[in-house]
Amino acid sequence: EAGVAQSPRYKIIEKRQSVAFWCNPISGHATLYWYQQILGQGPKLLIQFQNNGVVDDSQLPKDRFSAERLKGVDSTLKIQPAKLEDSAVYLCASTVGRYEQYFGPGTRLTVT
Amino acid sequence: ILNVEQSPQSLHVQEGDSTNFTCSFPSSNFYALHWYRWETAKSPEALFVMTLNGDEKKKGRISATLNTKEGYSYLYIKGSQPEDSATYLCAFLTGNQFYFGTGTSLTVIP
């Protein structure tokens, strides 16, 4: 079974630039999560999708972050414009129901 | 935002030592407690999904216990090996959302 794919693995941008991350979950997994993990902290949920609908985006900074999951499969997370404090690892995970989450390798973003 | 705490924050042990870490979480509205191992440059990997008070789970040299009434879970590693070096994350599931701890970083010294 193929795992959760994410790209790019690493990204370095200057503040005020835009960036987009891509996630392809495990086939058949209806629930998809985007997490932000800042160094020294635990992963923080940004947005949760069930199929192509948003279940929870209460912690997504909507003035600069956006996410979509077209056709209930792939998802993209965008930051526009980026700030220094957005430097983090962005993790995508998928799951079936409330069972264990399967994570992608993450995208490490550095904003300079 | 719920508070999930892990201790210690980091740990260095000698190869062959046994060790344990703690995850503390709210004792109300509990649905499940997950443990993950996250090695550098790799994806976090699920170790255990625990749902019942008193649950004890084991995978090889790693085991975990759960006390939902007092809100804690212990992860034990028996006879640590260098390949056990990783960050161990716990995640508390309530409703539809997971709340992660900050992790325990384990380094096993050969």
Side-chain angles (χ1 to χ4, degrees), chain A residues 4 9-10 33 35 37 40-43 45 48 55-56 58-59 89 91 95 98-106, chain B residues 1 9 31-32 34 36 38 40-46 48-49 89 91 93-103:
Chain A
V4 176
R9 291 293 307 276
Y10 305 92
Y33 306 82
Y35 291 94
Q37 197 246 346
Q41 300 179 20
L45 179 69
Q48 177 183 344
V55 173
D56 187 342
S58 57
Q59 298 187 82
V89 175
L91 288 165
T95 188
R98 291 178 172 181
Y99 299 105
E100 65 267 30
Q101 297 178 81
Y102 292 83
F103 285 87
Chain B
I1 296 179
Q9 189 173 7
Y31 189 86
H34 293 198
Y36 294 88
W38 193 3
T40 303
K42 294 186 178 180
S43 309
E45 171 196 0
F48 303 114
V49 175
L89 288 167
L93 175 61
T94 181
N96 280 313
Q97 188 168 144
F98 288 92
Y99 294 89
F100 281 82
T102 55

Side-chain angles (χ1 to χ4, degrees), chain B residues 14-16 24-25 36 38 47 65 71 79 81 85 92 97 99 101:
Chain B
Q14 293 289 332
E15 181 176 354
S24 301
F25 51 86
Y36 294 88
W38 193 3
L47 288 173
T65 61
Q81 299 296 309
S85 297
F92 169 73
Q97 188 168 144
Y99 294 89

